[in-house]
Structure formats: structure tokens, C-alpha cells
Amino acid sequence: MMTGAVWLATWLALGSADMRWEPQVSGTTVRLRGVSAVDARVAWASGDKGTFVRTTDGGKTWKAATVPGAEGLDFRDVDAFSERTAYLLSIGAGDKSRIYKTTDGGATWKLQFTNAVPGAFFDGMAFWDEQHGIAFSDPVDGHFVVITTEDGGATWKPVRKEALPPALPGEAGFAASGTSIAVQGTSHVWFGLGGSAARVLYSADRGQNWNIATTPLATGEGAGVFSLLFWSPKAGMAVGGNYKKPEETAGTAAVTLDGGKSWSVPSGTSLKGYRSCVASLMHARRPTFVAVGPTGSDISVNGGRTWEPLDATGFHAVSSPRRKQDTAYAVGEEGRIARLVPASPVEPKQAPKKP
């Protein structure tokens, strides 16, 4: 029998027609907006009404539950590190923007951060490791709001305003999947914006100093950068578009090869519409991506240069493990969860036996 990694390599060589999303039973009917795969066995997802779900057997079974006291919150982002440890970020104005953490598999949760900045609205968080993380909010009075932790979330400290470039009028972030912020290595971080401009802020020192660049993604109401993914300090991908015009293909993807200083439109076939999240399927010389949105999902096997349709099922978020990226989970409306699997088992040909 082939291992999961060998299977995935075989599917990619054959093309996306040999891959499919296998539906799984989440145990909930609420809208799921965040997902975090730890490995082929463990994954967490999050959603509306204070809901989180977890699997420890590769999705054969999922357990759904609610964070006590958070029944009115919308968890748009989840970052998991094991079957026991995960962070949740809820969105909303004022004190609805919060961060919770569990270290016992969701049996109990500790409220680590509650926003106290009037007008702030947190969009996403990301972690370099279990102890070091960062989160960002929409601008307040023309200033971006960013917080960091160096002690596993026990304390979250604001980044000084002077370190961040000023925001433009009408500029804001998106909390569609919690992935409009991304980290790479031990110190690099980027977060994307939309509205009046589709820009990306970037830092090489864990958010202490920042620069900013404009991308060619769509702009205007409901448009901009919705998801970022970096596979090296220099090379990255941004996806998005206009969620109010989900069928439009223009301005849905951009790539960078200089750490986010400049962005360009991929040279080949574009995404088939607005996409809210992108993930890497496996480590490869040319990274392989899957992007999801309400009108379907797409795959690229050449580093985002060209894309082809994978499935018409709508999803809000997709995730693959941090290390061995040999699987992916996607989540969406009404508790939808699916895992990427081969369309049919493919076994390697046996070499003929010598007479």
C-alpha cells in the first residue's frame, strides 16, 4: 500500500481530476469559517455561535462543542498545535474581538485577550511557534492595530503605532478565513488589506518594524486580499477578489518573489472567481496550492502560475499541516467539512519478475 505522501504525489502527477473532496460529518450545522490541520490525524475547525470542532482520527469522527461564555461569538480563526493545544480568535467590534486558548483538547478554555481599543475589529492571527504569535485589526483613526505574544498568549502586547505605516481612508482587513495574515520562518509576517487599496504590510522582525506594498488584487467595496501564504521568506501568494462578485476572475491572485516588496499577476490561467483561502498541499520544488471560495476550489501544481478547477463545492477555509503537508481539510456553510482524498486508490505498478 502507498503512504499518504506517495498517494498525493501520484494524484498531482495525474492531475486534479484524480483528486476530490470527501465530505465528513462535523457534528454541527453552524457556519464554519476557520480550520487548522496539525497532521494527517489531528485537525481543528471553528465557526459561529462559539463553536469549535476537532478530529483526532483523520476525520472519521469529529466532536463539536461550544466555548463556555462565547455562545454569541463568531470564531473566524483557529491555530492548532496538537490534539490538546489550540487558539481561537473571534471577530467583532469592541470586546467581541477575543482570543482563547485550550491545552486540554477543548475541555476547558482560557480567555487570553479581549480587545479594549474602541473601534478595533480583529481579523486574524498567526503563530511562528506555540509561544510566539501575532494578530491584527482593522485600522483605528488611521492607524493599524497589531498585537504580539511571546509567552503562548499569556500576555498580548500592542505594537507601537509609529512602527506601522498609516492606513488609507476606506482601507480595512478581511476576516473571511483568518488567513489574511501569514508568517514564515521565525520572524517574517505579512497581513493583507482591501477596500480602497489591496495592500500588504510586511515585517521581518516579528512585527516590530513594517513596510507596505500594493498588490494587483481587486479593490473597492468587498474586495482585496483575503488570504496569504508564504513558502519561503521571499516567495508568497495572495488570493482574494470581490466577495460581492464571486464569479469575477480578475484581481483574484498575485505572487511575490521578494518578500512582499512587489506583487504581480500570475502569467497563466487565473482562479475561477473570488477565493477566501489558499493552502499548500505539499513541500515541492514548485509549491502546489489549493484555493477555496463560495463558488468552488482550484488547484495549481506550478507555484500559482496557472490554476485549474478542482471542485464546485463552496468552502470558506482550507488548511494543510505545518510540516508534512500530505493532506488538506476544508470547511464551509452548515457545518461542512471535507478532506482531500484520491478519486480512487492508485497502486504502483509492479515490476515484472525475472524468469
Side-chain angles (χ1 to χ4, degrees), residues 4-221:
V6 174
W7 255 347
L8 182 56
T10 302
W11 311 336
L12 296 177
L14 293 174
S16 64
D18 292 276
M19 305 169 69
R20 65 181 176 88
W21 291 110
E22 180 181 74
Q24 299 182 327
V25 179
S26 67
T28 182
T29 58
V30 305
R31 175 188 297 154
L32 298 176
R33 301 297 296 262
V35 61
S36 179
V38 176
D39 52 36
R41 184 176 58 88
V42 178
W44 297 66
S46 64
D48 201 7
K49 299 179 180 178
T51 303
F52 71 94
V53 296
R54 182 186 67 140
T55 181
T56 59
D57 57 12
K60 294 178 182 178
T61 58
W62 289 83
K63 181 180 179 180
T66 302
V67 176
E71 294 82 1
L73 299 179
D74 186 358
F75 288 123
R76 291 291 180 93
D77 196 357
V78 55
D79 281 77
F81 288 88
S82 70
E83 65 181 71
R84 297 183 62 82
T85 301
Y87 295 83
L88 291 171
L89 179 142
S90 63
I91 66 164
D95 62 5
K96 288 186 177 181
S97 286
R98 305 178 191 176
I99 296 174
Y100 291 80
K101 182 182 182 181
T102 181
T103 56
D104 56 13
T108 62
W109 292 87
K110 182 177 181 180
L111 176 58
Q112 294 191 314
F113 169 79
T114 301
N115 172 56
V117 178
F121 186 112
F122 278 77
D123 297 294
M125 63 182 174
F127 290 81
W128 293 277
D129 55 51
E130 191 174 333
Q131 296 298 310
H132 299 86
I134 188 167
F136 84 103
S137 160
D138 288 348
V140 176
D141 297 329
H143 297 282
F144 293 106
V145 179
V146 178
I147 58 174
T148 63
T149 182
E150 298 180 349
D151 54 14
T155 58
W156 289 87
K157 300 177 181 178
V159 172
R160 54 191 177 88
K161 294 180 180 179
E162 297 76 18
L164 292 147
L168 299 175
E171 192 171 35
F174 290 106
S177 63
T179 62
S180 55
I181 183 169
V183 297
Q184 207 283 326
T186 60
S187 60
H188 289 80
V189 57
W190 302 259
F191 67 85
L193 306 159
S196 59
R199 301 199 296 172
V200 170
L201 281 80
Y202 58 96
S203 168
D205 56 9
R206 289 189 179 173
Q208 298 309 300
N209 295 280
W210 295 82
N211 287 292
I212 196 164
T214 300
T215 78
L217 266 65
T219 59
E221 186 179 357

Side-chain angles (χ1 to χ4, degrees), residues 324-340:
K324 192 177 181 182
Q325 297 172 322
D326 58 357
T327 191
Y329 292 90
V331 299
E333 295 291 314
E334 298 180 339
R336 181 179 298 151
I337 288 185
R339 181 176 177 178
L340 196 65

